[in-house]
Amino acid sequence: MICRAWNLKPLDRQTAAGLAEAIAQEQADQLEMEASSMGEDWPEAKYLSVRTACQKEVGLLAGVLAARGITDPDEALILLAGEEPLSDPFLLKDIDKACARIQQAVEKGETIVIFGDYDVDGVTATALLYQHLKGMGAQVKCMLPSREGDGYGLSKNAIDSIYKKGYRLIVTVDNGISAVEEAAYAASLGIELIVTDHHLPPEVLPQAVAVVDPRREDDPSPFKALCGAGVAFKLCSALDGCPPEEMLEYCSDLAAVGTVADVMPLTGENRTLVKAGLRLLQQTDRPGLGALLQEVGLYGKPVTSENISYALAPRINAAGRMDSAVTALQLMLCEDEVRAEELAHKLNEINAARQEIEQKIAHAVEAQLEADPELLSDRVVLIWGRDWHQGVIGIVASRMVERCGRPVVVVSVDEQGEGRGSGRSVPGFNLHSCIAACSDLLIRFGGHAMAAGLSVEEKNLPELRRRMNEWAARTCPVLHTPPLECDLSVRLDRITVEGVRALDRLAPFGAANPTPVFLLEGAVVEGIYPVSEGKHCRLRLRQGNTCLYAAWFGMSPDRLPYEVGDTVDAALNLSVYDGARGPQLSGRIVDLHPAGLDPEAARQADLVEALRRGAPLSPEEKELLCPDRNEIAAVYRELRARPWHAEDLQPLVARLGAGQAGKTLVALTALEQVGLVARTERGGARFLTLVPAQGKKDLSDAPILKCLEER
């Protein structure tokens, strides 16, 4: 990604001050009540003093809330408490029918088959419902599809297997809403079906005793963002006939893991579920979850939503990606501590194997890009290889999107010549629509705007690449990179340990409630230090007379395009760690760019990317981007003075002026196209360097300049 704009949210300081006052008053009231319960009487002067101190501590927190559009103090207090009431489960359409049929099965001793999914949400939803039904005295079996053999969702093969075993009632969790043909097939065999799902329903609902999905058009329930485990949680509450809040102490941990792993918005009822689930995870009495926490080094430590996302979920997911999700389900249901340790260790090994295979595929992709750099000039990058592991290609596609900032589809071709692909997109580009426009080339496809899957014959892949990019050129000629949203601009000399700790009240963080991002402007890089054998780096940033150490994960010192002495703006998260000298402030860098870099640079960079991909630009846009000979010469002189990092051109753009960003990038591309500039590797990083001229080079031969001449 060449340049990325940052958007600093507007802040109404009066609103922030009002929120800080309300939060501080609530804290002071609580402290006074605690003191009173211990027989201590507070005079008014002490109360006012405590409230004033609290107000200073919550200033940063109130600023973030105000920047995020929270203006009502009561709304802010409810959000911070994380205890929004859970709606009545019987508001979910058809849940009464589901309960009646399940109760009937329990009374008659019928076997209930829970059919789940192979991802974290599907596994936790299956475990949650299984344990509840067993507690009711039901005869229960579980079945999970395999990614390789069955694919996603309820299949006719699975129905045949259930029928042959004599079972006649299936309850789906986290799937089933799209299984219209499969539901009809089950009905033809005399199998009754209860669907519980959270995905968007098709126009025609599957034939079933009950279809419980909050996203049904005719569903009156108020909260639509439950995951599969969240819907299962509501079903268990309905079966018990109790308020859902009473279920939190029993199974909110599984619901929380499913909610976070499925990247559901951590707002409303989900926030209540996850907050309760995290408390339960701290002292879990589930041997399986306890063993997994032990395996990743989190047992006995505070568990956060980030821990679920980066430590627990990948290991639970790895089973379904690499082998069978049954291993993960066995761990969730395991009641023997020794067996739980074995299963947790096995999941860790499977995840390590997944990481190794992911690296191999990533290296194979890199080799293809090296051999055919034109692939990265496509609007939609389609890349394929033979026998790449199906469970990993989606992750590889995600990594490539992060790297190149455009939609990517990775396809694995099997021995029979059938390619199965997984794609990921960027905001503003509907990948599902793009793929659907090429449906005549495909065996099958599915998904949504941001992620999609497809099957295609190998011989059709080159034409698919052409057609997808043709569609993208028509539909989305200029793909603008979404800006990085920053909550507040901060001064280091005004940030306190107490103020940063107060931000924890916003947790759990995740989708729709991200970790606050702060903008640190005009900071000088005073030190660069390698971390984890150079895989990451830590920067010492000075603003005025105050310093902050900030880690930049995934950025090695060799690849860092900034040097000691450079003045930068940093977008970062803030936290507190307890060191040898007591609590210390720490930062985690989200992004970095030269101080004062104007967002216009990112807009012009997007136009240049569109131009390089053949997008039709207006005469005014072409004029904005077209450099004269002096401007090209200025770029050449900078490259002659020193090599510049090729992966982050923002320092070069800033050096020559953000308003000139488009001309600078066009000039650089032209110099590359005529062979005067090349990208060379040194110490694990790529640099732009001059190439000794072999004879006279005519810049007018550069294709990008020829495009700009056509007005």
Side-chain angles (χ1 to χ4, degrees):
M1 206 173 294
I2 297 171
C3 292
R4 184 183 185 184
W6 297 359
N7 178 43
L8 181 62
K9 297 173 185 174
L11 174 65
D12 184 328
R13 296 190 180 279
Q14 186 173 352
T15 297
L19 294 177
E21 185 176 350
I23 298 167
Q25 182 170 329
E26 181 211 37
Q27 288 187 201
D29 288 347
Q30 288 179 347
L31 290 171
E32 186 182 31
M33 285 176 61
E34 291 172 10
S36 178
S37 67
M38 299 176 66
E40 184 181 347
D41 186 28
W42 278 15
E44 184 177 357
K46 182 167 185 178
Y47 174 83
L48 292 174
S49 173
V50 169
R51 192 176 71 180
T52 300
C54 290
Q55 197 161 342
K56 290 179 181 178
E57 290 179 7
V58 301
L60 197 62
L61 170 62
V64 172
L65 288 168
R68 293 185 176 185
I70 306 295
T71 59
D72 180 26
D74 290 337
E75 182 185 356
L77 294 174
I78 290 172
L79 186 147
L80 295 178
E83 294 175 356
E84 182 166 320
L86 300 175
S87 60
D88 183 350
F90 282 100
L91 291 175
L92 284 159
K93 182 76 173 179
D94 277 6
I95 202 166
D96 54 339
K97 297 177 184 177
C99 289
R101 182 63 184 91
I102 290 171
Q103 292 284 7
Q104 180 186 336
V106 174
E107 291 167 6
K108 292 185 176 181
E110 290 180 73
T111 297
I112 303 169
V113 178
I114 302 173
F115 190 89
D117 190 22
Y118 43 65
D119 68 359
V120 180
D121 188 20
V123 168
T124 52
T126 302
L128 195 160
L129 185 57
Y130 176 86
Q131 289 191 324
H132 190 82
L133 292 181
K134 290 292 285 185
M136 291 174 59
Q139 299 294 317
V140 195
K141 300 290 182 182
C142 297
M143 179 177 285
L144 301 177
S146 70
R147 188 183 292 265
E148 292 289 336
D150 305 308
Y152 168 79
L154 189 63
S155 65
K156 290 183 179 180
N157 286 340
I159 293 169
D160 283 336
S161 174
I162 291 167
Y163 178 76
K164 287 174 184 176
K165 292 174 182 176
Y167 308 141
R168 296 295 182 266
L169 177 60
I170 301 173
V171 180
T172 71
V173 289
D174 191 35
N175 74 97
I177 196 68
S178 300
V180 176
E181 289 184 19
E182 292 79 6
Y185 180 66
S188 73
L189 297 177
I191 296 176
E192 292 186 282
L193 182 65
I194 295 172
V195 172
T196 74
D197 203 346
H198 71 111
H199 296 100
L200 195 65
E203 289 184 11
V204 178
L205 295 177
Q207 181 181 348
V209 172
V211 178
V212 182
D213 187 330
R215 298 185 72 183
R216 283 180 59 166
E217 283 190 7
D218 57 350
D219 180 88
S221 64
F223 190 71
K224 304 299 181 183
L226 294 169
C227 68
V231 175
F233 173 89
K234 285 294 188 81
L235 177 58
C236 293
S237 173
L239 285 167
D240 253 22
C242 68
E245 284 82 2
E246 292 184 15
M247 298 292 297
L248 292 174
E249 62 180 295
Y250 300 109
C251 53
S252 61
D253 50 356
L254 290 174
V257 172
T259 300
V260 173
D262 224 42
V263 199
M264 304 308 292
L266 297 190
T267 56
E269 295 190 34
N270 280 344
R271 186 171 172 80
T272 302
L273 267 177
V274 173
K275 202 155 188 177
L278 291 173
R279 286 196 297 267
L280 206 55
L281 279 169
Q282 302 292 153
Q283 300 173 324
T284 182
D285 58 0
R286 296 183 192 273
L289 283 175
L292 190 56
L293 289 168
Q294 186 78 50
E295 186 72 27
V296 299
L298 289 173
Y299 192 81
K301 298 179 180 179
V303 181
T304 65
S305 54
E306 290 89 341
N307 295 148
I308 292 175
S309 295
Y310 297 110
L312 303 185
R315 286 160 175 80
I316 299 170
N317 243 339
R321 289 187 180 280
M322 303 296 297
D323 184 24
S324 168
V326 171
T327 305
L329 179 59
Q330 288 174 338
L331 179 67
M332 295 298 103
L333 298 175
C334 186
E335 296 183 358
D336 179 79
E337 292 186 359
V338 174
R339 176 62 177 155
E341 289 176 10
E342 293 172 356
L343 288 168
H345 185 65
K346 183 178 180 181
L347 283 189
N348 207 28
E349 289 179 333
I350 293 172
N351 189 54
R354 187 270 304 170
Q355 292 172 321
E356 185 178 344
I357 291 173
E358 180 189 331
Q359 283 298 314
K360 287 180 179 177
I361 297 175
H363 290 149
V365 168
E366 198 66 40
Q368 284 195 32
L369 296 177
E370 290 281 352
D372 185 7
E374 286 299 310
L375 283 167
L376 277 178
S377 296
D378 287 352
R379 288 177 177 82
V380 182
V381 178
L382 174 65
I383 197 161
W384 61 89
R386 192 160 293 280
D387 293 327
W388 289 346
H389 199 293
Q390 280 295 319
V392 176
I393 57 175
I395 302 176
V396 175
S398 295
R399 299 278 189 267
M400 286 187 66
V401 170
E402 291 173 6
R403 173 191 161 185
C404 66
R406 69 191 71 112
V408 175
V409 179
V410 179
V411 177
S412 173
V413 180
D414 63 22
E415 294 177 357
Q416 285 73 45
E418 180 178 332
R420 292 168 63 188
S422 186
R424 300 292 185 271
S425 192
V426 295
F429 187 89
N430 192 318
L431 184 59
H432 182 266
S433 295
C434 178
I435 291 171
C438 311
S439 60
D440 57 302
L441 295 173
L442 306 175
I443 299 170
R444 68 186 71 87
F445 69 96
H448 52 82
M450 292 297 292
L454 57 84
S455 294
V456 58
E457 291 184 27
E458 183 177 14
K459 64 182 182 181
N460 288 336
L461 283 165
E463 178 65 7
L464 178 62
R465 175 189 172 193
R466 187 190 72 78
R467 291 261 299 275
M468 288 175 69
N469 278 280
E470 190 179 76
W471 184 91
R474 289 195 312 270
T475 310
C476 198
V478 180
L479 191 61
H480 288 288
T481 305
L484 172 65
E485 296 291 339
C486 299
D487 291 288
L488 287 176
S489 178
V490 294
R491 297 287 308 175
L492 287 183
D493 57 2
R494 297 178 187 172
I495 299 173
T496 65
V497 167
E498 294 76 19
V500 172
R501 278 188 168 150
L503 295 172
D504 289 342
R505 294 189 65 185
L506 282 170
F509 299 114
N513 184 43
T515 304
V517 176
F518 298 101
L519 177 57
L520 183 65
E521 299 176 276
V524 178
V525 179
E526 281 200 338
I528 301 170
Y529 313 97
V531 176
S532 297
E533 300 177 343
K535 294 178 183 177
H536 319 290
C537 67
R538 188 169 63 140
L539 306 184
R540 178 180 165 91
L541 301 174
R542 176 179 291 278
Q543 187 189 56
N545 295 320
T546 310
C547 289
L548 176 78
Y549 284 97
W552 197 349
F553 294 104
M555 177 63 70
S556 67
D558 289 335
R559 290 179 51 237
L560 184 71
Y562 303 94
E563 300 175 349
V564 171
D566 286 349
T567 303
V568 299
D569 293 338
L572 42 74
N573 309 133
L574 293 171
S575 60
V576 177
Y577 76 96
D578 292 309
R581 294 181 295 170
Q584 304 285 321
L585 290 176
S586 176
R588 178 182 178 274
I589 292 174
V590 178
D591 201 3
L592 211 65
H593 68 205
L597 186 66
D598 194 286
E600 174 65 13
R603 188 183 78 85
Q604 292 187 22
D606 288 339
L607 289 175
V608 174
E609 285 294 296
L611 178 68
R612 292 178 63 189
R613 290 170 177 77
L617 301 184
S618 69
E620 293 77 16
E621 288 170 335
K622 287 184 175 181
E623 185 176 353
L624 177 69
L625 302 182
C626 190
D628 59 29
R629 296 193 68 86
N630 289 334
E631 288 162 336
I632 296 174
V635 174
Y636 188 87
R637 285 195 298 272
E638 288 298 333
L639 295 176
R640 185 169 58 191
R642 73 175 222 204
W644 290 80
H645 278 265
E647 294 177 15
D648 184 348
L649 298 177
Q650 293 176 120
L652 178 60
V653 165
R655 171 84 174 174
L656 294 168
Q660 295 284 107
K663 294 180 177 181
T664 297
L665 296 171
V666 168
L668 181 58
T669 302
L671 290 168
E672 284 190 88
Q673 288 177 342
V674 299
L676 289 174
V677 170
R679 295 170 187 247
T680 58
E681 194 160 322
R682 188 182 72 196
R686 291 184 177 182
F687 290 86
L688 296 166
T689 56
L690 295 182
V691 177
Q694 300 290 325
K696 189 174 181 181
K697 302 287 185 181
D698 189 350
L699 277 171
S700 63
D701 291 336
I704 196 167
L705 294 180
K706 290 181 178 179
C707 288
L708 289 171
E709 289 171 2
E710 301 169 1
R711 300 187 192 178

